[in-house]
Amino acid sequence: MSATENLSKGPPKGFGALAKREQRLAYLMLLPTFLIVLSIVLGPLLANFWISFKPVQLADLRAATTLVNEQLRPRPKAAGDEVIMRYRVRNSSQKDPIANVTLADTVPVGLILQLSDERCSLDGRALSCDFGTIEPGGRFNLDIPTTVEQAYLDNGERPRDSKAVLTGESRNVLTSLEFTWENFDKVFSSSEFWSVLRVSLYYTIFGTLGALVLGLFAAQLLNTAFKGRAILRGLFLFPYVAPVIAVAFAWVLLLDAGPGGTFNAMLIRMGAIDGPINFLGQRAIPMSILGLEFEFPMALTTVITFEAWRYFPLSFLFILARMQSISTDMYEAAEIDGATPLQQFWYLSLPQLLGILSVLFLLRFIWTFNKFDDIFLLTGGAAGTRTLTVDVYEQAFAVSNLGAGAAVAVVVFFVLLFFALIFFKFSPQDDG
Amino acid sequence: MKIGTITFSAAIIGAIWGAVWMIVIGILLMLVSGITASPPAGTALIVGLIAGLSFILLPIEKRTTNLFAILGVGVAVLLFALTGGQVFGASFSDGMLYQILAWAIWTALVVLSIKMCLHDYASGSAKRYRMELLLIRVLKGLAFVLFTIVVILPFYVMLMTSLKSQQSLLSNPLDFSINLSQGPELLFRSYIELFTQYHFGTFLLNSALVSVATVFITLLFAVPGAYAVARLRFPGQVFLSRSILLIYMVPAIVLVIPLYAVFSQAGLRNSLTGLLIVYPATTIPVALYMLQGYFRGLPGELEEAGLMDGLSRVGVIAKITMPLSLPALASVALYVFMIAWNEFLFMIAWNEFLFAFMFLDDLDMFTLSRGVVSLNSSEVPRQHLMAGAVVATVPVLAIFLWFEKFLVAGLTAGSVKG
């Protein structure tokens, strides 16, 4: 290890103050990262658990508020006019009452209020009222007879210049202590959930394996030196580097089943198929191989293919880096012993690559499981491609049930935690 | 003349290449020229088989360049004869120049592929080692062709679609020929319209702003953090260096709903600010992880020398560590830029939120990804959607190609061990 560490591992006496200063500096340097991760990652993570136990709809986020509108009518024309000062008070919510509603306002100079309402009091020019509780959807007018003086007409101050301040306590479903199992009930009892979970696992397992195997092949191809290798290596990384939005839409157009779908037109022209296949819109195609009838999940296979296509560059990169660090002596020795190329791959390369392959598998497994945008852009979760992550989005934003979405997200988190634990158990201990 | 496994293999190899190149060149011909063809893969297979056989039956010492030329001419004529003059299943009169060119390319590729696979093999039998070598050569060749096509095809379709018109695309979806005679203004019509009518200039600027700001904020947070984890000793150091990557595994979808709820309560109106709060939080952990791996690899003696000479820790970082880590910083910056530029989930949830709560569909706040999504409607022609995709892709690809070396080294250095 580095010399600093060796040095500090030496005699500990007389090192205390310096070590303490180092500690303080370390914590100081890590503090910003810690804070932002806490507030944007760990905080929301916990908040998600909280929300998953809440009967909260998208609309509930717009908390019930009181609205007030003040008006002087009729418009005063001369000193001594008797007019009405009207405050319209309203509860914006149709569901929740608002408690302890108070109103505070400053009356313009030159308006004499004849206050008769016992809910209000006037202190100089400061008007304050206490309305108690307003029922859901409740509204009323507070009318105060007012005499206009010349001073009001002379200066430019109008009632709305000082905004009436209305306060009230509404129940906020997010912060209240109201909890429910409803969301989880709904999630686990729906017949769709288990099929969504199954699709998620299929997508994750086959997407990961596909990307890994393609990456292994690609790395094999580029492991030998030849002219144009650097160009090909850059090219092979394109699917990973390009924005998902661009490549997903390119695939959608390419695989279009209607007129103008290039890939279908290609297959038809080659005589491979009779009519266009709806690659992204068809749930299953009945097939029979050797008399065995089964349903081929078309759309799911397509999104898995896309996943493998888009992420093989990552595994390719890591596998290639590992391959190039394997010493060639071994292969020379094997060559002399008469090992064939496939034997060399099977008995020499593969064991050397097993470490990186397993790490890649588990990392990609977790990331694929987390993946949302690919399927969302390709099929929107239709045609049997809805995974858990897409389900979170659908529940929360399409069905507008934030609580149910959060509950699915909790399931996502725990499934993931399970995989992460496995990952840490089996990951080779690196020395860094 | 011996007949054995190699002889049969040669026939099969010839057949494979004949058919594969016919399909590839035939489709390419259709895409580039717009000719309606139906490549005769079966006939090409037979021609390739004969070519492979004739090649292997020639003794190795007789395989001279002249003979390759003769073989090529023979193959070309045979294909012409067997297809009845319609080499690519299309009447020879339309796009004759293209067809002749494709015919020549097909011939050259078949002969060349056969030669590359079989140049040191003679007719007869071979041991397992030589057979496997042959098998691997063929598989590698096929894999090269397949990988290249599969990687390029979507990008090719994207680019070419953006330069065409809706009508011509619908009438012949295989015709990606570009009509260069129409002048640049008509050719780039989609792009011009995107920038003049669809506000893509603003989107581009917003995306650039968000991505670059994310890179800077990320580095600002991650560099000191990574240095502390890599170099300073404090309780929890080992735990941190191990667990920081765990943050990167927290599914983004789990964070979306709470962030959405909080932002809606806080009434954050500026969408770019919201993104700038969320993006760095997701990129800092991975940047920190990559950087600490690199910092660890730097020789500690240099920093100690700096400390001895009276520099403070901060001085050491600024004057010694940072200049030494420029390649790592570049690779991390590039990676973070890519993540921010390509990010989709938070962006779409964020826009959903803005629209739902503020009734704000503010075009001035769209990033490129959001802009491209807005083009995905039946009212907008396809070439506009693809032009948008190209606009979103080109900057990140250009930057990637420019810094590719850094990215590759950085991505693989910090994390690959064992």
Side-chain angles (χ1 to χ4, degrees):
Chain A
M1 273 297 153
S2 75
T4 342
E5 281 166 51
N6 287 336
L7 205 65
S8 45
K9 270 178 198 153
K13 298 278 179 255
F15 218 70
L18 206 60
K20 261 197 191 119
R21 225 171 62 200
E22 198 169 282
Q23 269 178 33
R24 264 204 305 277
L25 184 69
Y27 287 133
L28 200 69
M29 287 163 103
L30 278 164
L31 188 68
T33 300
F34 185 69
L35 283 180
I36 194 164
V37 166
L38 197 71
S39 58
I40 303 293
V41 180
L42 297 181
L45 194 62
L46 293 178
N48 188 76
F49 284 99
W50 177 270
I51 294 174
S52 69
F53 288 105
K54 293 265 169 199
V56 54
Q57 304 285 316
L58 205 53
D60 292 332
L61 289 187
R62 251 176 265 139
T65 51
T66 46
L67 302 170
V68 63
N69 190 354
E70 55 184 311
Q71 217 172 19
L72 205 59
R73 50 175 31 185
R75 181 181 284 273
K77 294 197 177 63
D81 274 2
E82 294 289 327
V83 294
I84 303 276
M85 177 82 148
R86 169 171 289 178
Y87 291 94
R88 288 158 171 256
V89 179
R90 172 163 91 81
N91 179 351
S92 70
S93 165
Q94 299 294 328
K95 252 175 60 190
D96 296 318
I98 301 175
N100 298 332
V101 180
T102 64
L103 181 142
D105 196 15
T106 311
V107 182
V109 177
L111 290 183
I112 307 300
L113 269 55
Q114 281 117 41
L115 211 56
S116 55
D117 202 315
E118 71 277 6
R119 294 177 299 183
C120 298
S121 62
L122 197 61
D123 180 16
R125 286 172 55 209
L127 175 74
S128 62
C129 302
D130 185 353
F131 297 124
T133 302
I134 308 181
E135 292 310 308
R139 58 175 69 211
F140 62 85
N141 295 338
L142 173 70
D143 288 344
I144 306 170
T146 306
T147 312
V148 181
E149 291 183 330
Q150 188 60 39
Y152 176 77
L153 298 170
D154 289 346
N155 72 15
E157 197 187 349
R158 292 294 170 261
R160 292 206 184 165
D161 290 351
S162 69
K163 238 180 170 226
V165 180
L166 204 59
T167 63
E169 291 159 15
S170 65
R171 189 188 64 101
N172 187 332
V173 72
L174 280 179
T175 48
S176 72
L177 289 175
E178 186 188 337
F179 296 104
T180 174
W181 282 103
E182 208 179 286
N183 298 323
F184 288 99
D185 265 355
K186 202 186 261 166
V187 168
F188 287 113
S189 65
S190 96
S191 57
E192 221 176 31
F193 174 75
W194 299 106
S195 85
V196 167
L197 185 66
R198 204 170 53 236
V199 167
S200 274
L201 288 179
Y202 280 152
Y203 174 69
T204 310
I205 292 170
F206 290 110
T208 307
L209 282 179
L212 223 59
V213 170
L214 283 185
L216 187 61
F217 277 132
Q220 284 286 342
L221 284 185
L222 295 194
N223 195 26
T224 42
F226 58 90
K227 215 183 263 174
R229 183 170 81 157
I231 296 172
L232 265 186
R233 191 180 67 175
L235 190 74
F236 279 13
L237 292 175
F238 271 24
Y240 179 66
V241 178
V244 59
I245 192 127
V247 289
F249 281 138
W251 270 62
V252 169
L253 282 202
L254 190 65
L255 298 179
D256 190 3
T262 307
F263 195 62
N264 270 310
M266 232 180 244
L267 289 180
I268 291 173
R269 191 68 58 74
M270 301 302 303
I273 52 173
D274 299 326
I277 297 176
N278 195 348
F279 287 101
L280 288 166
Q282 195 163 359
R283 182 182 288 269
I285 294 180
M287 274 197 165
S288 83
I289 291 179
L290 302 172
L292 217 67
E293 304 262 331
F294 67 101
E295 301 247 290
F296 182 72
M298 190 67 240
L300 185 60
T301 308
T302 312
V303 292
I304 288 172
T305 313
F306 178 81
E307 170 74 20
W309 176 81
R310 189 159 140 70
Y311 290 99
F312 91 82
L314 200 72
S315 28
F316 150 71
L317 210 59
F318 282 90
I319 295 170
L320 186 62
R322 183 72 188 92
M323 271 181 177
Q324 293 185 333
S325 69
I326 300 176
S327 108
T328 51
D329 300 357
M330 232 166 38
Y331 292 100
E332 283 159 19
E335 194 85 10
I336 291 167
D337 289 344
T340 66
L342 285 180
Q343 282 173 332
Q344 286 178 28
F345 174 74
W346 192 257
Y347 294 107
L348 290 183
S349 305
L350 218 51
Q352 294 277 323
L353 294 176
L354 218 55
I356 186 68
L357 281 176
S358 62
V359 169
L360 273 175
F361 177 80
L362 286 154
L363 275 178
R364 285 266 15 117
F365 192 96
I366 287 169
W367 282 329
T368 309
F369 192 80
N370 287 348
K371 210 80 204 121
F372 161 80
D373 32 15
D374 299 26
I375 289 185
F376 183 76
L377 284 170
L378 285 176
T379 66
T385 58
R386 185 189 279 205
T387 56
L388 279 173
T389 47
V390 176
D391 201 39
V392 174
Y393 190 88
E394 287 286 313
Q395 298 279 0
F397 300 110
V399 188
S400 301
N401 191 344
L402 279 190
V408 181
V410 167
V411 176
V412 171
F413 180 76
F414 278 111
V415 175
L416 212 73
L417 196 68
F418 175 71
F419 291 130
L421 287 178
I422 293 180
F423 168 50
F424 268 83
K425 194 162 163 60
F426 290 105
S427 81
Q429 293 293 316
D430 63 58
D431 49 344
Chain B
M1 193 177 300
K2 281 181 275 178
I3 306 288
T5 44
I6 291 293
T7 324
F8 292 117
S9 307
I12 294 169
I13 289 168
I16 289 174
W17 284 120
V20 165
W21 285 125
M22 175 52 78
I23 293 171
V24 171
I25 300 296
I27 289 174
L28 212 62
L29 174 72
M30 285 194 262
L31 292 181
V32 171
S33 69
I35 297 170
T36 316
S38 51
T43 318
L45 187 130
I46 294 166
V47 176
L49 189 142
I50 295 168
L53 266 181
S54 9
F55 185 90
I56 204 70
L57 292 177
L58 281 171
I60 291 179
E61 64 277 6
K62 283 196 184 161
R63 292 174 193 165
T64 57
T65 320
N66 283 344
L67 251 150
F68 291 137
I70 294 169
L71 186 66
V73 172
V75 165
V77 170
L78 194 60
L79 182 73
F80 189 83
L82 285 180
T83 54
Q86 298 191 334
V87 178
F88 290 98
S91 132
F92 223 81
S93 51
D94 44 316
M96 193 145 96
L97 218 64
Y98 280 118
Q99 288 210 42
I100 291 176
L101 194 66
W103 185 23
I105 293 174
W106 177 81
T107 310
L109 284 174
V110 168
V111 173
L112 213 67
S113 307
I114 291 175
K115 180 188 165 228
M116 278 172 86
C117 289
L118 293 166
H119 65 92
D120 51 359
Y121 283 83
S123 182
S125 296
K127 282 190 179 150
R128 181 176 163 189
Y129 183 93
R130 298 270 292 166
M131 284 303 287
E132 278 187 13
L133 206 63
L134 192 59
L135 178 73
I136 284 172
R137 270 189 202 163
V138 178
L139 286 182
K140 269 196 173 177
L142 287 176
F144 266 122
V145 176
L146 197 73
F147 266 102
T148 314
I149 290 174
V150 165
V151 167
I152 288 182
L153 189 66
F155 292 97
Y156 180 80
V157 167
M158 191 198 294
L159 183 67
M160 289 305 159
T161 306
S162 74
L163 298 173
K164 296 206 58 112
S165 76
Q166 179 98 351
Q167 294 90 333
S168 68
L169 276 174
L170 287 179
S171 63
N172 182 4
L174 284 179
D175 177 9
F176 285 104
S177 59
I178 298 297
N179 184 4
L180 284 173
S181 59
Q182 60 188 336
E185 214 147 292
L186 275 175
L187 189 61
F188 295 108
R189 193 177 39 211
S190 299
Y191 293 90
I192 294 168
E193 277 181 28
L194 280 190
F195 279 95
T196 53
Q197 292 167 26
Y198 291 88
H199 313 281
F200 261 62
T202 318
F203 304 162
L204 197 64
L205 206 68
N206 283 342
S207 267
L209 197 76
V210 168
S211 308
V212 171
T214 303
V215 168
F216 275 104
I217 297 173
T218 304
L219 286 183
L220 203 68
F221 280 61
V223 166
Y227 186 86
V229 172
R231 277 280 188 269
L232 305 178
R233 285 170 52 81
F234 59 94
Q237 179 192 22
V238 177
F239 171 75
L240 259 183
S241 74
R242 288 249 162 104
S243 62
I244 192 76
L245 207 58
L246 272 185
I247 300 289
Y248 198 55
M249 291 178 198
V250 174
I253 195 85
V254 179
L255 311 181
V256 164
I257 292 174
L259 286 174
Y260 188 95
V262 168
F263 283 164
S264 74
Q265 303 278 301
L268 260 172
R269 273 164 193 281
N270 187 329
S271 92
L272 296 185
T273 315
L275 293 183
L276 275 184
I277 294 173
V278 175
Y279 285 1
T282 54
T283 52
I284 285 171
V286 67
L288 203 155
Y289 186 80
M290 283 165 79
L291 281 175
Q292 60 123 10
Y294 190 86
F295 286 161
R296 248 178 244 278
L298 289 178
E301 292 81 357
L302 280 174
E303 292 173 18
E304 279 154 28
L307 285 175
M308 296 290 248
D309 288 345
L311 275 176
S312 65
R313 268 290 178 192
V314 181
V316 165
I317 295 174
K319 293 201 173 121
I320 296 174
T321 314
M322 294 284 278
L324 282 175
S325 337
L326 273 183
L329 290 177
S331 92
V332 171
L334 182 59
Y335 190 57
V336 170
F337 181 88
M338 254 172 57
I339 294 178
W341 185 274
N342 297 350
E343 209 285 328
F344 178 76
L345 171 58
F346 284 115
M347 182 279 301
I348 202 78
W350 185 243
N351 272 282
E352 190 106 356
F353 149 64
L354 284 175
F355 186 65
F357 285 92
M358 320 287 180
F359 301 103
L360 198 73
D361 223 4
D362 191 352
L363 287 172
D364 289 340
M365 295 299 171
F366 276 16
T367 58
L368 261 182
S369 301
R370 180 69 187 83
V372 176
V373 171
S374 72
L375 293 179
N376 183 28
S377 90
S378 50
E379 284 130 47
V380 182
R382 287 174 162 195
Q383 65 269 26
H384 283 39
L385 177 62
M386 285 299 99
V390 171
V391 172
T393 309
V394 164
V396 71
L397 272 192
I399 293 176
F400 160 73
L401 287 178
W402 202 263
F403 293 106
E404 188 200 332
K405 242 186 252 160
F406 290 127
L407 181 78
V408 171
L411 259 182
T412 50
S415 33
V416 183
K417 272 177 195 164

